[in-house]
Amino acid sequence: MTVITTSNGYKYRPLEESDETFILECLKDYPIGSNTLHQRRNEFANMLYVTEGFNETKVKNKTSLQSITMVTEKADGTPIGFQHIEIDNLLVELRMGATHPTHRRQGHSTARLMLLGEFAYNHLGCTGTWLEIVDTNNLNKVADTWRDDISANETERTNENKFGDTQTYTLKKIQITAAEHETHRAGHSTWGTVTYTIE
């Protein structure tokens, strides 16, 4: 399967069975609150199952929905975060993504999004991405850096029991095209000069 490395030392690769402990730790408080060990193991098993069956040809030919979980590593091989995506008709839905608790608030979320763009748009030929995420101050801090380059309107909705509890959450839907991603990447002070190698 495809592995992407960057000139600034990041690596983007498919999920492996040996990632179990790392993923369970990422999911423990995802997206808020606490998830049981049983829930997290089931989620990991599903992500591994679909990743092992991922078919790039079917994505490019638009013949079936495909899902994959990609892991981002630092230059020393330490996994720092993951993204679980579904691709249908060259449109990516970012279903889930998280940075490991020991690596949060260190700029790695930007790396994960830039690598997702390289994988989805430049390698697979996808045309856009969308995600729906719980509205928090942390979300707004990340989204604010992208909003000037995104032309699509964001939408909001409320959802009860989204995560199996009794709370009501505000969910933000954010959409971005391949061209908007490239505009943002090219103008980024760090990522504008980064090059990618695909194996």
Side-chain angles (χ1 to χ4, degrees):
M1 282 202 206
T2 298
V3 175
I4 301 173
T5 55
T6 66
S7 58
N8 62 350
Y10 285 97
K11 181 178 178 182
Y12 200 61
R13 61 163 177 82
L15 183 71
E16 300 170 353
E17 195 164 328
S18 59
D19 292 317
E20 183 177 19
T21 299
F22 159 72
I23 293 293
L24 296 184
E25 290 171 353
C26 286
L27 292 176
K28 189 169 185 178
D29 62 353
Y30 177 87
I32 52 177
S34 178
N35 296 306
T36 68
L37 183 60
H38 178 72
Q39 289 171 312
R40 289 178 279 148
R41 282 188 170 143
N42 284 345
E43 196 67 57
F44 174 76
N46 176 66
M47 290 190 292
L48 185 62
Y49 175 75
V50 298
T51 297
E52 290 176 345
F54 184 74
N55 186 312
E56 290 186 3
T57 301
K58 289 183 178 181
V59 171
K60 294 175 183 179
N61 292 339
K62 301 186 278 188
T63 54
S64 70
L65 182 139
Q66 293 289 302
S67 298
I68 189 170
T69 300
M70 297 294 284
V71 173
T72 304
E73 295 179 352
K74 294 194 301 185
D76 65 2
T78 303
I80 55 154
F82 76 94
Q83 291 165 312
H84 180 72
I85 61 173
E86 287 190 356
I87 306 171
D88 189 17
N89 199 27
L90 297 180
L91 185 62
V92 177
E93 179 186 356
L94 178 52
R95 297 293 304 266
M96 185 184 306
T99 300
H100 189 275
T102 60
H103 301 286
R104 292 179 185 160
R105 295 174 182 79
Q106 299 173 25
H108 300 307
S109 294
T110 299
R112 290 190 300 109
L113 291 170
M114 294 298 183
L115 283 159
L116 171 63
E118 180 66 20
F119 177 64
Y121 304 134
N122 295 329
H123 180 65
L124 296 175
C126 295
T127 58
T129 300
W130 70 276
L131 70 147
E132 194 171 50
I133 191 166
V134 176
D135 187 16
T136 65
N137 289 335
N138 285 335
L139 164 67
N140 288 321
K141 286 179 193 174
V142 173
D144 282 347
T145 64
W146 290 78
R147 284 184 168 115
D148 292 341
D149 297 319
I150 300 174
S151 60
N153 289 330
E154 295 177 31
T155 59
E156 282 189 0
R157 70 182 178 92
T158 58
N159 188 295
E160 294 183 22
N161 294 324
K162 174 74 175 173
F163 305 105
D165 56 25
T166 58
Q167 296 185 54
T168 298
Y169 298 94
T170 299
L171 301 178
K172 272 193 186 292
K173 182 177 181 181
I174 301 173
Q175 302 173 50
I176 186 169
T177 66
E180 288 166 344
H181 181 274
E182 178 55 23
T183 296
H184 182 77
R185 185 208 60 78
H188 195 277
S189 60
T190 302
W191 286 87
T193 58
V194 169
T195 57
Y196 304 86
T197 303
I198 298 178
E199 304 168 20

